[in-house]
Amino acid sequence: MGVETPGSQSSLHRANLERVVRAVRMAGSLTQAEIARTTGLSAATVSNIVRELKEGGTVEVTPTSSGGRRARSVSLSGDAGIVVGVDFGHTHLRVAIGNLAHKVLDEKTEPLDVDASAAQGMDRAEVLVSRLIESNGISRHKIVGVGLGVPGPIDVETGVLGSTSILPGWVGTNPRDDLAARLGVPVYVDNDANLGALGELVWGGGRGAADLAYIKVASGVGAGLVISGRIYRGPGGTAGEIGHITLDESGPVCRCGNRGCLETFTAARYVLPLLHSSHGPKLTVERMVELAGEGDPGCRRVIADVGRHIGSGVANLCNLLNPSRVVLGGDLAGAGELVLAPIRDSVARYAIPSAARQLAVVPGTLGGRAEVLGALALVLSEMGDSTLLDRAQPTDATALA
Ligand SMILES: [Zn+2]
């Protein structure tokens, strides 16, 4: 395709093609009427473009029904490309592959001490991705991109890991460029909270919400914020540090240096010790949730208190951003209403009523898979459409230029 003059017939046509592909790429599948609504294009234009994209092999069209009427569902062709997700957790490495029609094809997890060294972690990631691709009979040139999740602050522009006490063996490394060089494909990187938010938005408890906060309570507490369908990172990439909202100025000293941060009332390392004398020192969050489900009063009390404190943070979030949904991730989500009800109580108590009225607080449905699926979603959201359209078989109309 040659250089096009902006405003010319062919560049307008190309722009319309990209709008339709982008809409379908983000949603997974849409009816033609939904594409028209999302893109603002006329029904006739959408119909022509969909036909052209179908002939080029970029999209697939399947019969469906919408509101009792026959409709045509459009998704990107499963053959159009493969996306890969890689998620480094504190104790595991997860890899997933999917296609552009939002179908997850395969996943693998293995234990990994991520703190050991960055190089060791990248070696394992390279091996695991290669194995998964080969065992599914996928050729490498089908991969359009890899999404990479790391459990720490990362600059998504440069790919460099920030100074952190969370991953000392990774500070100053560039896992994005490293993995891109090893695999020979574009790599997109983000932190675990943002990927959890994307995963739940596309496949889990956040489906259909344009504005949501994903809150994960684990060794730390973080939030991924989705505003108008996109991750909000802020210029420094630190948006969503809900764990460091001050709840008590004379509370415990936090790893950030302040006192009484939300994290010091909710993160595992602070709340599990409350149960050490009654339940022994080896208690995990997973086990605490299990015991609470069986009626253990101490575990129930601790979980309820954690919920109340998270709710205070969520109330602040409501007043500032007014999200329509809060998705709770991590092991704590397994406690269901035992933690969700106290969150809602605190929100009702501390948030402005009009900000809290339309808020739904729900558990994540993806569990530990949220981040790796979010890594797939990151590629779908960041990859752009040019590659995809240029890969397609040129038809008369696209060759018009
Ligand atoms: Zn703090």
Side-chain angles (χ1 to χ4, degrees):
M1 191 156 302
V3 178
E4 291 168 358
T5 325
S8 73
Q9 188 88 37
S10 59
S11 70
L12 183 67
H13 180 73
R14 171 77 178 194
N16 287 345
L17 280 173
E18 291 189 3
R19 276 159 89 173
V20 171
V21 170
R22 187 178 310 123
V24 174
R25 173 162 62 80
M26 298 305 290
S29 68
L30 290 173
T31 64
Q32 293 197 171
E34 287 167 333
I35 294 174
R37 260 202 304 281
T38 312
T39 59
L41 297 170
S42 73
T45 306
V46 168
S47 178
N48 286 335
I49 286 179
V50 166
R51 189 183 323 118
E52 182 183 329
L53 289 169
K54 183 169 176 262
E55 281 164 9
T58 308
V59 304
E60 282 166 5
V61 180
T62 44
T64 180
S65 68
S66 169
R69 295 170 56 186
R70 279 195 299 168
R72 285 145 58 83
S73 167
V74 182
S75 62
L76 290 185
S77 160
D79 286 341
I82 292 291
V83 290
V84 177
V86 175
D87 167 47
F88 285 102
H90 278 284
T91 54
H92 69 259
L93 168 65
R94 275 179 202 268
V95 172
I97 51 174
N99 66 20
L100 298 184
H102 290 208
K103 183 162 189 242
V104 180
L105 301 170
D106 204 358
E107 296 173 66
K108 280 256 169 340
T109 304
E110 65 175 41
L112 176 82
D113 178 11
V114 75
D115 299 319
S117 92
Q120 213 175 314
M122 299 314 275
D123 285 346
R124 291 309 306 160
E126 186 184 355
V127 169
L128 208 55
V129 168
S130 301
R131 231 184 256 162
L132 204 59
I133 290 167
E134 278 157 29
S135 66
N136 283 276
I138 291 163
S139 75
R140 271 172 191 263
H141 77 267
K142 282 271 180 195
I143 301 174
V144 294
V146 176
L148 172 63
V150 288
I154 188 145
D155 185 326
V156 296
E157 299 298 328
T158 63
V160 176
L161 235 101
S163 166
T164 169
S165 56
I166 303 172
L167 286 174
W170 290 58
V171 174
T173 63
N174 192 320
R176 181 193 66 189
D177 291 356
D178 188 352
L179 196 61
R182 287 166 183 258
L183 297 174
V185 289
V187 175
Y188 308 88
V189 71
D190 212 331
N191 68 50
D192 53 348
N194 285 348
L195 292 187
L198 272 178
E200 292 287 351
L201 178 73
V202 173
W203 282 286
R207 279 195 78 155
D211 301 282
L212 78 86
Y214 170 81
I215 297 178
K216 186 174 176 185
V217 182
S219 49
V221 180
L225 306 175
V226 174
I227 298 177
S228 302
R230 294 191 70 90
I231 287 285
Y232 179 76
R233 299 184 175 91
T238 52
E241 287 289 356
I242 193 175
H244 302 284
I245 290 176
T246 305
L247 294 189
D248 179 2
E249 277 194 12
S250 48
V253 175
C254 180
R255 64 193 161 104
C256 73
N258 282 330
R259 294 186 65 174
C261 292
L262 189 149
E263 189 165 302
T264 66
F265 294 98
T266 55
R269 81 183 83 163
Y270 293 97
V271 302
L272 290 176
L274 298 172
L275 292 160
H276 279 176
S277 57
S278 54
H279 293 73
K282 288 189 174 156
L283 191 69
T284 60
V285 172
E286 207 179 352
R287 182 65 185 141
M288 173 178 75
V289 166
E290 219 172 81
L291 288 169
E294 291 164 10
D296 182 290
C299 293
R300 283 185 170 229
R301 172 60 197 256
V302 167
I303 288 173
D305 287 351
V306 165
R308 279 195 309 120
H309 288 121
I310 294 172
S312 300
V314 171
N316 284 322
L317 208 63
C318 281
N319 291 347
L320 288 174
L321 295 174
N322 191 16
S324 57
R325 211 173 298 176
V326 164
V327 180
L328 183 68
D331 287 335
L332 201 58
E337 286 304 307
L338 293 177
V339 66
L340 298 175
I343 293 178
R344 292 188 199 110
D345 284 348
S346 275
V347 172
R349 179 182 286 225
Y350 299 118
I352 295 169
S354 59
R357 199 169 296 132
Q358 292 175 14
L359 178 75
V361 181
V362 301
T365 62
L366 302 176
R369 302 165 66 218
E371 290 80 12
V372 77
L373 295 190
L376 293 182
L378 181 68
V379 183
L380 291 167
S381 118
E382 303 286 330
M383 61 182 271
D385 303 298
S386 302
T387 339
L388 204 59
L389 287 169
D390 294 341
R391 278 172 177 228
Q393 311 281 328
T395 62
D396 286 345
T398 50
L400 197 77

